[in-house]
Amino acid sequence: MKVAGLGFRQDVTLASLREALLAAGGAEGLAAVATVSDKADAEALQQLARECGVPIKAVSPEVLAGIDTPTQSRLIAEKFGTGSVAEAAALAAAGPRARLIAARVVSQDRTATAAIAEGDGA
């Protein structure tokens, strides 16, 4: 099961989310997209999920906290307790033995990040 984790700013656009996802490897073979639960209803994310034909997995901040990620952002670590929302959400949603197959990439406008994990589901 492949899951794309997405981190993004409140003012993110569909184009920025799409760009980050494509840079991480694209939507082919994805089973879901995932992000922190308080952003799961963002309109741009809803549009991307519809475009890709996959559900959105909302991951609670408590689950994200403490997930070790290869990418480390001080700001994200202070706010969420993990180094990358995109990487942590992908890992959490792909299952307990998930591994990253694409580390975090950032959109050119710096409003969206994406990472892809593969696992056996949760």
Side-chain angles (χ1 to χ4, degrees):
M1 153 184 236
K2 273 176 42 176
V3 177
L6 298 161
F8 52 91
R9 295 187 184 182
Q10 190 170 1
D11 60 345
V12 73
T13 64
L14 172 59
S16 293
L17 284 173
R18 187 187 297 127
E19 176 193 328
L21 178 59
L22 286 172
E28 188 173 333
L30 287 182
V33 294
T35 196
V36 63
S37 55
D38 64 350
K39 292 187 176 184
D41 62 352
E43 183 57 34
L45 180 64
Q46 298 281 332
Q47 290 172 341
L48 182 69
R50 281 193 300 272
E51 189 176 281
C52 296
V54 298
I56 297 169
K57 291 193 171 229
V59 182
S60 74
E62 295 79 20
V63 170
L64 292 180
I67 293 178
D68 189 31
T69 60
T71 304
Q72 295 294 312
S73 163
R74 186 177 50 81
L75 178 67
I76 296 301
E78 289 171 2
K79 187 171 183 180
F80 294 100
T82 188
S84 165
V85 168
E87 291 172 350
L91 288 166
R97 289 183 295 282
R99 64 182 178 81
L100 283 178
I101 58 173
R104 181 190 77 173
V105 293
V106 184
S107 63
Q108 288 186 352
D109 66 5
R110 317 259 330 140
T111 64
T113 63
I116 298 177
E118 192 169 59
D120 54 8

